[in-house]
Amino acid sequence: MGTALITGPTAGIGLAFARALAARGHDLVLVARDASRLDAVAAELRGAYGVGVEVVPADLSSETEPVEKRLRDTSAPVDLLVNNAGFALRKPFLVNDVADEEQMLDVLVRAVLRLTHAALPGMIERGHGAVVNVSSVAGWVPRGTYSAAKAWATSFSEGLAPQLAGTGVRVMALAPGYTRTEFHDRAEMDMSSLPSWLWLDADALVKTALRDLDRGKDVSVPGTAYKVAAAALPLLPRRLVRSVGQRHPAGRQGYRRRR
């Protein structure tokens, strides 16, 4: 089944991808900042699925080179790259420290760009392979750097499709909505007011994503509610769409002049 490299695989969507791909028989290369947590997940996956699991500890906000090197290693080629690593900031742009905004942009955009650029030439030469860039439905709703970065990820992925025509290699953007992971807790966002029907399950989401990848889709949007949102939001007046963004817990925190 080949080898899959997953960034951010220690929890949430990334861990769901790791388990699903291991169950399919893929060997894995796991990339995350927390080396001890990475080792624990690798041991779990080896024991549960009997697949080979490598670990590459790396902070993608500052060091993509070790991961790029692994993606270019022709002696152990990577057939599937899942760019999943990411995080959000609770406060709005004007309140955040600019260094935190830059760090988020480095993980959500720069790392995705560099790792995709490292992976694709080898895949094209071998005549098969795929890249999944985990974006978000938030990319259709203007709400600061996070939404802008996710809009970029979707557009970037779609834009590669014509360049890859006839190569046997695919790139797909995965654009989920709210998913039950530790993502919002780590950002210290209070999501208690969100209706339960808007929450997605990470394992079900990944099942949909892999099915859509097998079917050759350029963009995968799991969940009926989010499929409707993704289709409708580009058609709505921009003023209305902006107001939707302000209803998000992060969007409701307005700028306060620092004293």
Side-chain angles (χ1 to χ4, degrees):
M1 294 298 296
T3 299
L5 187 149
I6 307 167
T7 68
T10 57
I13 294 173
L15 181 56
F17 262 112
R19 289 171 173 160
L21 291 169
R24 285 186 170 200
H26 287 271
D27 290 329
L28 302 174
V29 182
L30 307 180
V31 180
R33 290 186 304 168
D34 190 330
S36 60
R37 201 173 179 188
L38 201 56
D39 287 337
V41 170
E44 173 204 326
L45 294 170
R46 292 188 194 105
Y49 301 101
V51 297
V53 184
E54 302 172 48
V55 296
V56 182
D59 182 347
L60 294 178
S61 69
S62 59
E63 51 175 348
T64 59
E65 290 82 2
V67 190
E68 292 176 59
K69 182 179 179 181
R70 179 61 185 85
L71 287 166
R72 294 191 180 105
D73 185 355
T74 57
S75 67
V78 170
D79 304 287
L80 172 61
L81 166 63
V82 180
N83 280 312
N84 166 76
F87 65 95
L89 300 173
R90 179 174 62 87
K91 297 177 182 178
F93 177 78
L94 291 175
V95 179
N96 288 327
D97 189 286
V98 71
D100 293 335
E101 292 280 341
E102 284 188 304
Q103 184 182 46
M104 182 168 63
L105 203 61
D106 283 338
V107 174
L108 299 183
V109 174
R110 181 178 176 274
V112 172
L113 182 152
R114 293 193 65 92
L115 300 191
T116 302
H117 196 272
L120 285 178
M123 292 179 181
I124 292 169
E125 185 174 346
R126 294 188 295 274
H128 65 90
V131 176
V132 175
N133 292 323
V134 179
S135 182
S136 172
V137 171
W140 281 280
V141 182
R143 195 174 62 231
T145 304
Y146 181 84
S147 291
K150 292 305 187 180
W152 177 88
T154 299
S155 181
F156 171 68
S157 302
E158 287 189 284
L160 285 171
Q163 300 180 54
L164 295 172
T167 65
V169 180
R170 293 160 291 153
V171 174
M172 184 184 81
L174 169 59
Y178 297 107
T179 307
R180 293 196 182 279
T181 68
E182 62 180 40
F183 179 85
H184 296 99
D185 291 338
R186 289 171 70 91
E188 299 181 347
M189 293 179 183
D190 180 6
M191 306 302 294
S192 59
S193 63
L194 195 72
S196 60
W197 57 269
L198 279 176
W199 288 104
L200 298 174
D201 173 77
D203 293 323
L205 181 160
V206 166
K207 182 178 180 180
T208 297
L210 292 175
R211 182 193 66 203
D212 287 345
L213 182 66
D214 291 340
R215 292 176 176 177
K217 286 193 175 184
D218 296 327
V219 180
S220 173
V221 182
T224 302
Y226 293 111
K227 283 181 170 64
V228 172
L233 285 169
L235 305 176
L236 295 174
R238 297 308 297 165
R239 184 175 180 179
L240 177 59
V241 175
R242 286 194 295 272
S243 73
V244 171
Q246 293 308 304
R247 296 191 185 102
H248 184 274
R252 288 198 294 266
Q253 299 181 51
Y255 172 71
R256 293 179 177 85
R257 188 182 301 236
R258 294 179 180 172
R259 300 185 183 217

